[in-house]
């Protein structure tokens, strides 16, 4: 818990690769156990890091329940409420894409970090523009608190208590070359908080 | 919150208006092109609602002093797919007929709190003049012989998409791509904006047409100039045919339509020496079998309708950048 991460001097490793694998496995078991009709379950990973997490969960669910749900990617950038601070340019792989119908499906949203809830709110708006799912659920690797909207995860890996100025950094093999969750304690002083 | 640090890092958009390509940096041009793919995806949605709420409650005014179906509907659709409110004013029914000045008309529109004014006008500089004196964001949809920036952006986006697919490289740009622009270059704002845009992106541009329809400043713009169609398109990756304005012939700028067709029509015969997968483009509307042969316009190498689809996405990207800049 307290060892520092070589690339980020002020960061504490709050989840290492082994723990992350266990957490993903636990989440997959919970999802499989609570879903009576796995065939109607589809997953949408919120870009960027929710997508590889969703792929991993789908593979584990496939191993556990005998059917791997289909996975798509949701950008949410066109539905955010903080557009003026958002980046506009996107790579092709950062655009929303999925090849299934959400009408009548159970849609499981997957994201790495749950914090303010605003990303999940944007994702809900985006999904309902594509159709009317039977149900939408949310799975997150970590919940760092600091909620600004009444949104909770249906499936949660770990709760990480943080202060508002702290930074939670999820690193995934598919994007960052390693699996880890880092907590960077940051001063509330705006000079230090980059 | 985790920083999504894989987003493409590009120069931020800071301009209030889009008047011309000439004043844009390469980074700004690329920012528009990189913003567009997500809007292509919105229009291509197979189910649900083909729009996003980025400009919800904003007012986009389309103000056209020249006939235009394609460009006007493209801007209107782009605004609607961003959930903006739209007003379209055609000069024929507007108070311009009653002698009101552009400034007064726009001041009245702005009193109704417009956010974007899309202007097409026959006077070069009309869009810039309004942009400098009014608070609304102005998009130049064509001003005289000056510029038509969104056309050039959608053309570059279309070419880039084909190059990326051809090279199977999602990061490929236009560096070294050869584009031949054929026809009435001197009187074409489409050609002028395209020359600025393509050369900024590193493409090699060749312009070709009758000597009387080539701009005197051609060589100074850093491009190849020729009157020989076969020479122009011999190494071309893209052949871009411009619309011939038939009234130019009445001004004696070329002797006859028959001669123009014989020397400058882009057709199968003219393409004999060109690379086999050369891309055929045209800004529309096409004079069929005058500047472009029907078999090519409707053929498998034609990007003409893809240009139209991409036009909506590019205009969505421009409006989003203008109003949602940081």
């Amino acid at each position: 818990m307290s060892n520092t991460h070589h690339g980020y001097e002020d960061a504490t490793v709050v989840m290492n690769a082994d723990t992350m694998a266990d957490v993903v496995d636990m989440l997959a078991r919970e999802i499989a156990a609570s879903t009576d009709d796995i065939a109607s379950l589809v997953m949408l990973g919120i870009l960027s890091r929710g997508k590889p997490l969703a792929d991993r969960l789908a593979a584990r669910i496939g191993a556990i329940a005998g059917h791997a749900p289909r996975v798509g990617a949701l950008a949410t950038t066109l539905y955010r409420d903080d557009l003026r601070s958002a980046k506009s340019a996107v790579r092709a792989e950062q655009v929303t894409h999925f090849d299934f119908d959400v009408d009548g499906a159970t849609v499981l949203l997957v994201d790495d970090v749950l914090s303010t809830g605003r990303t999940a709110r944007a994702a809900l708006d985006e999904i309902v523009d594509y159709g009317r799912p039977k149900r939408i659920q949310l799975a997150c690797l970590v919940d760092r608190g600091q909620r600004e909207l009444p949104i909770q995860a249906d499936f949660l890996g770990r709760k990480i208590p943080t202060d508002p100025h702290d930074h939670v950094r999820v690193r995934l093999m598919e994007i960052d070359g390693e699996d880890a969750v880092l907590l960077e304690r940051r001063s509330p002083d705006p000079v230090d908080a980059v | 919150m985790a920083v999504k640090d894989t987003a493409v890092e590009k120069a931020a958009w800071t301009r209030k208006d889009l008047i011309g390509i000439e004043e844009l940096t390469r980074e700004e041009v690329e920012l528009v092109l990189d913003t567009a793919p997500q809007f292509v995806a919105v229009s291509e949605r197979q189910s649900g609602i083909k729009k996003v709420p980025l400009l919800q409650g904003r007012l986009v005014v389309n103000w056209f002093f020249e006939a235009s179906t394609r460009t006007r509907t493209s801007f209107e659709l782009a605004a609607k797919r961003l959930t903006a409110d739209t007003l379209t004013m055609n000069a024929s029914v507007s108070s311009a007929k009653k002698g009101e000045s552009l400034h007064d008309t726009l001041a009245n529109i702005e009193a109704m709190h417009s956010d974007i004014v899309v202007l097409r006008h026959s006077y070069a500089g009309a869009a810039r003049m309004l942009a400098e004196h009014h608070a609304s964001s102005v998009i130049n949809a064509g001003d005289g012989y000056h510029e038509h920036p969104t056309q050039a952006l959608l053309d570059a986006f279309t070419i880039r998409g084909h190059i990326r697919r051809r090279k199977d490289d999602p990061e490929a740009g236009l560096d070294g791509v050869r584009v031949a622009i054929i026809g009435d270059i001197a009187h074409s704002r489409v050609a002028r904006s395209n020359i600025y845009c393509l050369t900024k992106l590193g493409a090699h541009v060749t312009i070709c047409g009758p000597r009387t329809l080539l701009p005197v400043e051609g060589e100074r713009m850093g491009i190849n100039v020729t009157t020989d169609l076969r020479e122009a398109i011999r190494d071309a990756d893209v052949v871009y045919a411009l619309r011939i304005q038939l009234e130019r012939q009445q001004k004696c700028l070329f002797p006859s339509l028959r001669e123009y067709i014989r020397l400058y029509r882009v057709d199968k015969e003219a393409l004999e020496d060109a690379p086999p997968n050369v891309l055929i483009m045209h800004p529309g509307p096409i004079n069929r079998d005058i500047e472009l042969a029907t078999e090519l316009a409707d053929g498998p190498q034609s990007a003409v309708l893809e240009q139209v689809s991409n036009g909506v996405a590019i205009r969505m990207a421009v409006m989003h950048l203008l109003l949602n800049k940081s």
Side-chain angles (χ1 to χ4, degrees), chain B residues 70 239 241 265-268 271 278-282 284-308:
Chain B
R70 182 181 337 258
V239 172
R265 181 173 72 182
V266 176
D267 53 24
K268 275 247 165 85
L271 286 186
V278 65
L279 192 67
I280 305 295
M281 297 177 70
H282 189 290
I286 300 173
N287 295 309
R288 281 181 178 268
D289 295 317
I290 296 178
E291 68 263 4
L292 180 60
T294 284
E295 58 179 350
L296 291 182
D298 301 340
Q301 288 159 263
S302 171
V304 170
L305 293 178
E306 192 186 343
Q307 287 172 270
V308 177

Side-chain angles (χ1 to χ4, degrees), chain B residues 63-235:
Chain B
W63 196 12
F64 279 68
F65 284 85
E66 287 181 353
S68 160
T69 305
R70 182 181 337 258
T71 305
R72 201 195 65 229
T73 50
S74 181
F75 271 107
E76 188 164 344
L77 205 50
K80 287 185 194 303
R81 291 206 172 140
L82 293 170
T83 326
D85 297 321
T86 58
L87 273 181
T88 297
M89 302 198 302
N90 291 316
S92 57
V93 293
S94 80
S95 42
K97 290 276 180 204
K98 299 179 189 168
E100 190 178 40
S101 76
L102 282 182
H103 281 305
D104 283 342
T105 307
L106 184 50
N108 278 274
I109 295 170
E110 289 202 314
M112 294 181 265
H113 301 286
S114 56
D115 296 290
I116 289 181
V117 173
V118 179
L119 182 75
R120 166 163 290 189
H121 201 283
S122 55
Y123 288 175
R128 189 181 310 280
M129 179 191 75
L130 289 182
E132 283 172 357
H133 292 93
H134 295 270
S136 294
S137 286
V138 176
I139 300 176
N140 181 8
D143 60 332
Y145 297 159
H146 176 226
E147 283 224 44
H148 190 357
T150 56
Q151 178 72 44
L153 291 165
L154 76 89
D155 290 334
F157 183 69
T158 303
I159 296 170
R160 197 177 74 169
H162 276 267
I163 296 297
R164 287 180 170 184
R165 287 197 289 278
R166 202 178 286 175
K167 292 184 175 171
D168 195 22
D169 174 3
E171 307 284 312
L174 264 60
D175 286 293
V177 172
R178 295 173 189 280
V179 183
I181 305 177
I182 316 296
D184 181 2
I185 315 289
H187 303 95
S188 172
R189 57 197 175 206
V190 172
R192 180 177 297 271
S193 287
N194 258 304
I195 290 166
Y196 287 132
C197 190
L198 293 167
T199 52
K200 270 180 214 289
L201 294 173
H204 300 303
V205 177
T206 298
I207 58 173
C208 174
R211 179 60 68 188
T212 47
L213 298 179
L214 292 175
V216 287
E217 73 270 31
E219 274 96 353
R220 265 195 289 121
M221 295 174 89
I223 56 178
N224 305 316
V225 182
T226 179
T227 54
D228 181 343
L229 179 62
R230 281 181 174 251
E231 184 195 320
I233 65 185
R234 187 168 297 134
D235 303 316

